Amino acid sequence: MSKSDLLLELYTNLSTTGAVAFSSKTLVKKMLAHVDFKKAKLIIELGGGDGSITKGIVDKLSPDTELLVFEISKSFCTSMEKLFPQDNVRIINDSAENIEKYLDGRKADYVLSSLPFSFFAPEVRDRILSQSKSALTQSGSFIQGCYSYLLKNLFKKHFGKINISFTLKNLPPAFVMVCR
């Protein structure tokens, strides 16, 4: 899929992509700084989109660590399947509401998300966050890249501790919320 096709998908489905531009390298780096790639055995990404964050993860991924990428756009999934043919990367064309269905009883060390929670109905947000929390190991982290500081209140309903950082080097500027 060409960059122009990806941009068309981004703008055509703004309510599900929730972005006006793809994640910057600075935002990706800031999110991945909270991941211990040497110890992680299972990582989940919610909202793979164009693969910006996925690429950052895959570049640091150990061969024995599995990455599950959830994306509801079939076009984005098709593109990512071509970009990331590795055996330990699984692109899943399904909603993040269904994480548990794909875990086979396993727990993830990290859930990284760029989902546009502000655009989701409250019950959908709660299902995704509940599934994310339940998918994590006891010491696992949910890492969210987002544009609104107010989402902290939503995450507080599901996670006890939230650390927040900010980057201007993204369009628009973004927050990284690390929830435990």
Side-chain angles (χ1 to χ4, degrees):
M1 179 180 277
S2 72
K3 202 64 164 174
S4 60
D5 289 339
L6 286 170
L7 286 170
L8 180 62
E9 180 72 17
L10 182 75
Y11 291 116
T12 303
N13 297 306
L14 193 57
S15 65
T16 55
T17 61
V20 294
F22 298 117
S23 300
S24 70
K25 288 181 181 178
T26 302
L27 175 59
V28 173
K29 188 176 179 179
K30 203 166 198 73
M31 290 176 73
L32 297 183
H34 301 282
V35 177
D36 184 346
F37 285 96
K38 289 180 182 167
K39 291 183 180 174
K41 293 297 172 206
L42 177 61
I43 298 173
I44 298 171
E45 181 187 2
L46 308 180
D50 74 323
S52 301
I53 297 170
T54 313
K55 179 171 179 10
I57 297 169
V58 169
D59 287 349
K60 295 177 176 254
L61 201 62
S62 298
D64 62 335
T65 302
E66 186 177 2
L67 172 63
L68 304 181
V69 182
F70 286 80
E71 174 55 56
I72 61 170
S73 164
K74 183 62 180 158
S75 327
F76 281 153
C77 284
T78 301
S79 177
M80 283 192 298
E81 285 167 348
K82 291 175 186 164
L83 287 171
F84 309 111
Q86 295 87 341
D87 289 339
N88 60 337
V89 177
R90 187 168 163 205
I91 309 299
I92 300 168
N93 186 205
D94 199 355
S95 170
E97 295 171 89
N98 300 315
I99 294 170
E100 196 173 291
K101 202 164 94 173
Y102 298 89
L103 293 180
D104 299 322
R106 299 175 300 158
K107 296 285 185 179
D109 301 289
Y110 299 94
V111 174
L112 289 96
S113 171
S114 58
L115 292 178
F117 283 102
S118 299
F119 290 113
F120 296 163
E123 61 275 4
V124 173
R125 290 190 299 237
D126 285 336
R127 276 195 301 270
I128 292 171
L129 289 169
S130 177
Q131 284 273 316
S132 296
K133 171 84 174 169
S134 127
L136 287 168
T137 62
Q138 198 163 3
S139 61
S141 297
F142 176 85
I143 303 167
Q144 174 73 37
C146 58
Y147 308 120
S148 172
Y149 184 81
L150 297 176
L151 283 173
K152 176 182 92 169
N153 297 324
L154 170 66
F155 301 142
K156 273 186 173 181
K157 289 174 26 182
H158 297 272
F159 298 95
K161 184 178 178 189
I162 301 173
N163 291 320
I164 302 171
S165 59
F166 182 72
T167 181
L168 286 169
K169 294 181 179 182
N170 194 68
L171 182 65
F175 293 94
V176 173
M177 300 191 185
V178 180
C179 310
R180 292 191 171 103

